[in-house]
Amino acid sequence: MTSRTPPDDAHPYLRAASAGVRHHTRALASSDATPSRPADRLHLDVVHAHLTALHQLLDRLAESARPPHPAAGRHLAAAHTRLWQAASEVHSAFHLLPSNTAAEPEASACHPERLPEGPPVLTICQRHLAAGHSIRRKTTPTDLRPHTTACVR
């Protein structure tokens, strides 16, 4: 038997997740006495999990906002696409970092045609593939081009 959280009870969970991300950011920034460790694959796997969860949330928010408020829905859909691009870059960075264990393959690219060795490669690649299917159903290749903004002064 599974229980579903009523939508009204979801906001405290989002606040807690945001607080956790802020805490982690402060912890990384405030370690002046000790040199900060470079990002590792496990760290990027967790960040990718957050990004893909936000990606799914924005997808649902855009879908629910579109009928009554089309302009707001378009902005949320654009944020959904940009979040996918961020998750894609984190996934690419994950594969460029060296593995910490001998069990992880040393490949620098994702190979969806073969099953990865195990966690965290298995989890991040499966999660990324599922998010990729979702974004490709709702966007065009033009939408997925890198987003650039020019600062004009």
Side-chain angles (χ1 to χ4, degrees), residues 95-151:
H95 284 291
L96 293 174
L97 289 176
S99 68
N100 295 337
T101 65
E104 291 181 35
E106 289 292 334
S108 63
C110 185
H111 298 283
E113 72 277 1
R114 68 175 195 242
L115 191 62
E117 297 290 320
V121 177
L122 178 65
T123 55
I124 192 170
C125 291
Q126 284 181 333
R127 187 183 323 112
H128 195 69
L129 191 61
H133 287 299
S134 167
I135 193 77
R136 283 180 182 88
R137 274 185 276 139
K138 297 181 181 207
T139 58
T140 66
T142 303
D143 294 334
L144 295 176
R145 270 195 243 143
H147 178 68
T148 58
T149 57
C151 180

Side-chain angles (χ1 to χ4, degrees), residues 16-30:
S18 297
V21 170
R22 282 192 305 272
H23 172 75
H24 186 71
T25 303
R26 281 192 303 268
L28 286 175
S30 69

Side-chain angles (χ1 to χ4, degrees), residues 58-77:
L58 278 175
D59 183 33
R60 294 198 178 155
L61 288 172
E63 288 297 318
S64 66
R66 231 179 234 131
H69 308 286
R74 283 191 301 274
H75 282 285
L76 290 171

